[in-house]
Amino acid sequence: MRVLVVHAHPVAASFNASLFRLTVERLAANGHQVDTIDLYQDGFNPVMSETERLNYHDLEINRKPVESHVDQLLAAEALVLVYPVWNYGFPAILKGWFDRVFLPGVSFGLADGKVRPTLHNIGRILVVTSYGGSRFRSWLMGDPPRKIANRILRATVRPGAPVTYLAHYEMNLSTEQTRQSFMSKVEKNLDKF
Amino acid sequence: MRILLVYSHPVPESFCAAIRDTAVRTLEKAGHEVDLLDLYAEGFDPVMQADERRRYNEMQRADHPYPDHAERLEAADGLIFVYPTWWYGLPAMLKGWLDRVWTPELTFHMSDGPGPIEPLMTHINLLGVITTCGAPRWWSYVVAHPGKRTILRGMRALCGKSCKRLFMAHYLMDKSTPESRANYLAAVEKRLAKIRG
């Protein structure tokens, strides 16, 4: 299976970055073809410019500034996101990846003002993430990143594609044991690909 | 009241710019002091880099990446965000502003143990979101308004207990008409004119 793994954490020594490396290695060891986008490493600019916004609905040219990302996204059969939750949302660099890459003509079409999702090449989604807050507190806040995965991403890719959301909450209180057991959980889920 | 209005849109002649202008005019007319922060115009950098991330938990005021923004946030009694909803959430520019400017010891105090964080933005009595959405209202509710929740629940938890919330959205922007936009601006004006304090 061709899998696109997207990562967004600035610190290479972080737990999150080790989850990214583990993901890539495990998928490759299992014989998958792995594409990676390491947004910080690549110095990705998440800010949609004025020109991009003005050309947003022009299907001929809107993808030009991020063409390689669009190509990788459209070639993928599965998408894995590895990132930390900051302020109950994606880090800006990842939010901007969605803003700039998930364009009309790429992930959706617009017909009469209505959105038609088109990213049907993707048949599986896995999210691997870590929170500072507890699951309860995140739930109180409506847990926006969980809803983005389970509702929005699910609706964007092939209908019926499984979406798995793996989160380590309360990172500040994590121990060697909680981290290890989370890594095993991630491996187990990667093996289902 | 002193209101920090945080605005994020790349196109100067956008509808969001008209919302911003309506908001500033109405609030000033009602006697409020408005501090306008235009993130695109300032060329704000929303990406938190490795060094800043490493220092984040122990961030001191002297290390704050945007001390000027920290001061303006501290001086505010109310906060209003005007932005387009992109991909159901905040533009990366605005998300990064929350990530980089709302630092520990300025906006919240992290406890050493398992206890919850302590809010420090208790001087904020009003938190508002005025936005535009491509999606229809019903679908925005199905996907639970992630952008709205990030601000009106997530950031709200760092504000005062009696902090009031305000949310307005023009849905289906791609099908908007001059009339729907004019109606929305009128609704924004009417709503903001009611703000007291």
Side-chain angles (χ1 to χ4, degrees):
Chain A
M1 196 182 238
R2 188 159 178 182
V3 186
L4 175 61
V5 185
V6 181
H7 175 52
H9 198 294
V11 181
S14 65
F15 177 57
N16 209 272
S18 63
L19 291 170
F20 168 61
R21 290 188 293 270
L22 174 148
T23 299
V24 173
E25 283 159 21
R26 190 78 172 194
L27 288 169
N30 288 351
H32 298 290
Q33 187 185 343
V34 185
D35 280 337
T36 59
I37 296 177
D38 184 339
L39 293 167
Y40 270 97
Q41 194 66 42
D42 300 348
F44 181 74
N45 175 11
V47 178
M48 191 192 286
S49 70
E50 181 179 354
T51 313
E52 270 176 283
R53 180 59 216 170
L54 292 172
N55 294 336
Y56 189 76
H57 291 290
D58 186 336
L59 306 191
E60 298 285 311
I61 54 173
N62 65 358
R63 66 174 69 181
K64 288 243 156 65
V66 287
E67 198 141 35
S68 67
H69 290 246
V70 168
D71 291 344
Q72 282 181 301
L73 185 64
L74 293 179
E77 295 166 286
L79 177 65
V80 182
L81 302 173
V82 185
Y83 63 89
V85 170
W86 290 349
N87 289 315
Y88 305 102
F90 294 140
I93 205 169
L94 179 58
K95 178 53 178 46
W97 186 71
F98 282 103
D99 293 347
R100 295 186 62 207
V101 178
F102 281 57
L103 294 163
V106 176
S107 70
F108 67 94
L110 270 174
D112 191 26
K114 284 192 181 137
V115 170
R116 297 270 174 264
T118 54
L119 210 54
H120 293 171
N121 51 298
I122 292 179
R124 177 162 213 127
I125 288 180
L126 173 65
V127 174
V128 177
T129 187
S130 48
Y131 290 62
S134 66
R135 171 118 198 218
F136 177 67
R137 190 173 165 92
S138 304
W139 175 79
L140 280 182
M141 303 306 164
D143 207 336
R146 184 180 282 269
K147 296 216 165 62
I148 287 175
N150 285 335
R151 300 186 185 178
I152 298 165
L153 277 175
R154 188 191 295 280
T156 303
V157 299
R158 189 188 308 150
V163 177
T164 310
Y165 192 86
L166 303 178
H168 187 311
Y169 288 91
E170 298 186 296
M171 271 315 292
N172 301 356
L173 304 176
S174 72
T175 62
E176 190 58 38
Q177 196 192 344
T178 62
R179 291 191 294 269
Q180 277 300 337
S181 95
F182 185 69
M183 287 167 112
S184 309
K185 198 156 113 186
V186 171
E187 284 173 341
K188 225 165 88 186
N189 278 278
L190 290 169
D191 292 346
K192 290 183 195 158
F193 276 55
Chain B
M1 104 167 63
R2 188 182 162 93
I3 296 174
L4 178 60
L5 195 151
V6 185
Y7 168 73
S8 174
H9 199 296
V11 182
E13 62 276 17
S14 67
F15 180 57
C16 269
I19 298 174
R20 172 201 65 201
D21 293 343
T22 301
V24 172
R25 199 181 54 239
T26 309
L27 291 167
E28 283 181 345
K29 201 173 147 196
H32 303 288
E33 191 184 336
V34 182
D35 177 11
L36 176 64
L37 177 53
D38 181 337
L39 295 172
Y40 269 93
E42 275 207 10
F44 183 80
D45 175 6
V47 180
M48 190 195 292
Q49 297 297 344
D51 177 54
E52 192 174 318
R53 177 61 214 167
R54 285 192 203 98
R55 290 185 288 116
Y56 184 81
N57 289 0
E58 281 80 39
M59 178 79 71
Q60 301 297 317
R61 278 303 291 276
D63 302 330
H64 197 286
Y66 281 89
D68 163 50
H69 291 204
E71 273 168 33
R72 290 160 78 178
L73 192 53
E74 267 186 327
D77 309 305
L79 274 171
I80 294 182
F81 295 90
V82 176
Y83 63 89
T85 295
W86 288 347
W87 233 77
Y88 306 97
L90 317 179
M93 183 64 115
L94 181 53
K95 180 55 176 52
W97 187 76
L98 298 179
D99 294 347
R100 298 194 65 199
V101 175
W102 287 55
T103 52
E105 300 316 319
L106 170 69
T107 64
F108 65 92
H109 174 70
M110 233 184 278
S111 62
D112 298 329
I117 59 174
E118 180 197 334
L120 295 179
M121 298 288 289
T122 46
H123 50 95
I124 302 287
N125 298 314
L126 170 76
L127 193 55
V129 168
I130 308 177
T131 188
T132 57
C133 304
R137 179 188 300 267
W138 72 269
W139 178 244
S140 299
Y141 275 91
V142 168
V143 301
H145 281 102
K148 171 188 172 189
R149 287 194 184 205
T150 295
I151 292 178
L152 294 186
R153 288 203 200 179
M155 309 328 268
R156 165 71 177 75
L158 307 180
C159 299
K161 275 208 166 64
S162 58
C163 175
K164 289 191 177 63
R165 290 184 283 195
L166 178 162
F167 178 75
M168 300 183 79
H170 184 314
Y171 295 97
L172 286 170
M173 264 319 284
D174 298 299
K175 288 181 89 177
S176 73
T177 61
E179 197 194 355
S180 74
R181 294 192 291 272
N183 286 343
Y184 185 66
L185 291 180
V188 168
E189 190 171 341
K190 201 171 152 196
R191 180 69 189 79
L192 294 186
K194 284 190 206 153
I195 294 172
R196 297 279 169 264

